[in-house]
Amino acid sequence: SGSENLGRAIGWAVDTMKRDGLENVRSEPVMVPRWVRGHEGAEIIAPARHSLTMLGLGGSVGTSPEGVEAEVIVVSSFDDLRARAADVKGRMVLFNAPFTTYGDTVTYRTGGPRAASQLGAVAVLIRSVGPTGLRTPHTGSLQYGQGVTPIPAASVTAEDADRIARLSARGVPVRVRLTMEARAEGDVESANVVGEIRGSERPQEIVLLGGHLDSWDVGTGASDDAVGCIVTWEAARLMMKLGIRPRRTISLVLWTNEENGLRGA
């Protein structure tokens, strides 16, 4: 959110909705958070050097220019973390939770940094939320919450997480250096995009359709959430094309910050 590309997407959406014949098409200003990834990287330093494929988690703080280096403690769950609480301070926590479903496993990405920080960890690594495949890391947002010292947090691939876990299980200490330039730049002005089909009998009653227009910086946003935007948009477009006038107003909203929902609506 708040990026140049999002601004271009908003302009395209407004112009295209008008060409599609939607009514009362407009952009509505809204303030959104802007987080910048910057340069980032991770590497196993010991027992042997090995580059890690990683992505910083959205909203993470960065490290110093030199990075943060620490021995890794591998845990499989929040219960495992709590059971080993005495060993966490000064270390880098790796949540190596096997993927089950997105809803179940994503909790380690959103809540892992907070839980690790509360026990004195200096950084956190999260096994990618998804099945093993081609060393592909998966980013997304985290939630530090109140009263917690933010620590750098990144996603690593399932393959790299398993490598670290295998070494640790054999009693081999693993040290990792994590470098992240991630920073928050405060709220900036953006916009939600709105198009309507006015209701014929009860126009003041709204049927709301839509999806989030923003995406993560490392992807195109084609599946998350351009698909959702276009599916709902196409439903409205087809109604206009077929001359279908609903009793209530159909309001199509493409909002511009997924994590905060319809902040400006």
Side-chain angles (χ1 to χ4, degrees):
S1 62
S3 68
E4 177 187 352
N5 276 350
L6 180 60
R8 294 169 64 187
I10 289 168
W12 175 87
V14 170
D15 292 343
T16 309
M17 279 188 190
K18 290 178 179 177
R19 288 199 300 270
D20 283 348
L22 296 184
E23 300 166 336
N24 197 22
V25 175
R26 62 199 184 274
S27 60
E28 296 184 341
V30 59
M31 300 301 291
V32 298
R34 175 157 167 75
W35 176 81
V36 178
R37 179 177 304 279
H39 177 76
E40 58 185 14
E43 181 184 21
I44 295 176
I45 303 300
R49 289 186 178 273
H50 174 74
S51 178
L52 298 175
T53 302
M54 56 78 73
L55 285 174
L57 297 184
S60 175
V61 296
T63 66
S64 67
E66 298 76 26
V68 57
E69 181 180 325
E71 183 176 331
V72 178
I73 177 171
V74 182
V75 298
S76 60
S77 66
F78 289 119
D79 288 340
D80 191 15
L81 177 71
R82 286 188 286 268
R84 304 181 64 189
D87 301 324
V88 172
K89 188 173 182 179
R91 292 186 173 180
M92 188 178 301
V93 172
L94 167 62
F95 283 93
N96 189 36
F99 178 73
T100 52
T101 66
Y102 185 82
D104 288 341
T105 316
V106 77
T107 58
Y108 294 102
R109 191 197 77 205
T110 56
R114 174 182 175 85
S117 175
Q118 288 175 323
L119 296 177
V122 297
V124 67
L125 303 174
I126 308 294
R127 180 192 180 105
S128 281
V129 183
T132 301
L134 302 176
R135 291 187 78 197
T136 304
H138 173 255
T139 190
S141 65
L142 56 76
Q143 298 172 2
Y144 290 121
Q146 299 295 319
V148 172
T149 300
I151 58 175
S155 166
V156 295
T157 67
E159 294 90 338
D160 286 333
D162 284 340
R163 181 189 186 99
I164 296 171
R166 287 194 300 268
L167 289 167
S168 297
R170 295 170 188 161
V172 179
V174 178
R175 292 188 66 82
V176 166
R177 179 184 294 125
L178 177 66
T179 305
M180 297 171 59
E181 291 181 345
R183 64 190 185 277
E185 295 190 344
D187 283 3
V188 298
E189 185 172 306
S190 187
N192 298 326
V193 180
V194 183
E196 295 179 341
I197 303 174
R198 295 293 292 170
S200 60
E201 296 180 20
R202 300 181 180 180
Q204 75 282 2
E205 296 183 9
I206 305 295
V207 177
L208 182 65
L209 306 176
H212 65 84
L213 188 57
D214 61 329
S215 70
W216 287 107
D217 55 311
V218 290
T220 63
S223 61
D224 187 4
D225 186 34
V227 169
C229 291
I230 294 300
V231 165
T232 51
W233 182 342
E234 179 69 355
R237 189 191 71 82
L238 287 173
M239 291 176 70
M240 293 295 293
K241 183 177 181 179
L242 296 172
I244 297 173
R245 178 66 61 174
R247 295 171 64 196
R248 295 167 177 83
T249 294
I250 303 295
S251 183
L252 171 66
V253 180
L254 308 184
W255 63 88
T256 186
N257 186 249
E258 172 191 6
E259 305 303 330
N260 291 279
L262 289 163
R263 297 182 72 187

